[in-house]
């Protein structure tokens, strides 16, 4: 039997590139569709010569139609990521993420391709789940006045007590708190509608805080691990917002790649007209301050600085259970926080992007 032909949109990027490498190791035939945007790629990335590369935008129906020729399954990673600089970024987020996904799904329908893995994000939940004396709680957006006063943790609006963070499951309410989060949830809704309309099969992977070799540097759209690593590369102390106690699940990019392959396998075995969301995390909770301290220590750089600064739209705590993907897809992470951060502290980053 011939090896499957996989299209990875955004396959020249940080996560997409790791998925491409993992698929090649399996002996799959891989095609990449990537726009090579200058605000994502500081320089032209090096792509394995075994990969068929198409340079173009996922919002272009003609380019996407060409990219889907003789393809069996699709891994959709192309997206504008991160919280963004300000609301003027909103049209670009919507075009890149929502329009791009709609164009891809329409082209997949025309091509008769019915298997998709979608890169989603834990940001679709908004704040994570909490518990108080009155039981489970999902607090609303934090107020600027509270953040200015250094009150970072959500409280019960009735009792005033500080709520305790809990693990979020795929069944918990969805509450995107910024433009990026809204577009990631819109991608899920589009993919779910496509599955119902066409009999397609979709696994939506809600990534947690992904880090690892080859992250982009010096970009306002990168995650905190990249920003900390970029600062240390310049000889500067990582600047940690709020008090550094924000809880996150940092998951290595190699584990994200293996989760994508497990999800692609699942789409081959699942029933027709299926949409299923899966949290993808390491299963261990660390704070943003933990990441900054570990990177500084591993690189021999200056200690982090706790700034007290904040960004409206950031959430305080978001850590989720990855039990569903472990149970249903048989996936488990293999890179510990300690090993992953030690490697990442000295691993090469992508060239700095142009502002």
């Amino acid at each position: 039997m011939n090896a499957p032909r996989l299209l990875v949109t955004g396959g020249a990027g940080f996560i997409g590139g790791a998925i491409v490498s993992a698929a090649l190791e399996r002996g799959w035939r891989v095609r990449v569709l990537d726009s090579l945007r200058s605000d994502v790629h500081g320089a032209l990335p090096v792509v394995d010569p075994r990969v068929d590369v198409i340079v173009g935008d996922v919002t272009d129906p003609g380019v996407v139609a060409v990219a889907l020729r003789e393809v069996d399954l699709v891994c959709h990673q192309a997206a504008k990521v991160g919280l963004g600089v300000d609301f003027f970024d909103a049209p670009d987020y919507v075009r890149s993420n929502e329009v791009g996904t709609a164009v891809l799904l329409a082209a997949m329908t025309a091509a008769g391709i019915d298997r998709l893995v979608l890169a989603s994000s834990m940001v679709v939940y908004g704040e994570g789940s909490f518990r108080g004396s009155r039981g489970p709680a999902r607090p609303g957006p934090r107020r600027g006045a509270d953040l200015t006063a250094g009150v970072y943790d959500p409280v019960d609006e009735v009792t005033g007590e500080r709520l305790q963070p809990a693990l979020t499951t795929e069944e918990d309410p969805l509450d995107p708190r910024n433009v990026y989060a809204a577009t990631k949830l819109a991608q899920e809704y589009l993919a779910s509608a496509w599955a119902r309309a066409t009999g397609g099969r979709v696994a939506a992977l809600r990534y947690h805080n992904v880090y690892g070799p080859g992250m982009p540097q010096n970009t306002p759209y990168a995650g905190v691990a990249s920003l900390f690593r970029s600062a240390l590369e310049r000889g500067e102390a990582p600047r940690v917002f709020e008090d550094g106690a924000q809880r996150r699940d940092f998951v290595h990019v190699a584990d994200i790649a293996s989760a994508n392959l497990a999800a692609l396998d699942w789409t081959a075995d699942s029933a027709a007209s299926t949409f299923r969301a899966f949290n993808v995390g390491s299963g261990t909770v660390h704070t943003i301050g933990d990441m900054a301290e570990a990177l500084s220590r591993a690189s021999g750089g200056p200690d982090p600085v706790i700034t007290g600064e904040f960004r409206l739209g950031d959430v305080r705590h978001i850590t989720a259970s990855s039990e569903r993907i472990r149970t249903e897809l048989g996936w488990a992470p293999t890179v510990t926080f300690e090993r992953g951060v030690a490697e990442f502290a000295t691993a090469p980053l992508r060239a700095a992007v142009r502002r």
Side-chain angles (χ1 to χ4, degrees), residues 143-261:
R143 295 183 288 264
D146 290 338
L147 296 171
T148 299
V151 179
Y152 303 124
D153 285 296
V155 299
D156 187 304
E157 293 186 358
V158 174
T159 66
E161 69 176 328
R162 176 178 168 180
L163 297 171
Q164 299 302 312
L167 296 182
T168 302
T169 74
E170 293 88 349
E171 301 304 321
D172 281 329
L174 303 176
D175 184 19
R177 301 281 175 92
N178 55 58
V179 171
Y180 169 60
T183 63
K184 295 309 287 184
L185 184 53
Q187 286 183 305
E188 289 196 18
Y189 286 155
L190 287 166
S192 178
W194 172 81
R196 287 194 299 272
T198 68
R201 289 154 290 170
V202 182
L205 303 184
R206 294 172 178 166
Y207 301 158
H208 282 256
N209 289 70
V210 187
Y211 74 98
M215 285 192 85
Q217 61 175 308
N218 296 335
T219 166
Y221 304 101
V224 291
S226 173
L227 297 176
F228 295 159
R229 178 71 172 75
S230 297
L232 290 164
E233 187 97 343
R234 299 189 301 268
E236 301 171 4
R239 295 178 60 82
V240 181
F241 281 14
E242 301 183 21
D243 58 359
Q246 307 94 306
R247 289 163 55 103
R248 298 291 188 270
D249 184 332
F250 293 98
V251 57
H252 196 274
V253 69
D255 288 327
I256 291 291
S258 69
N260 272 269
L261 295 192

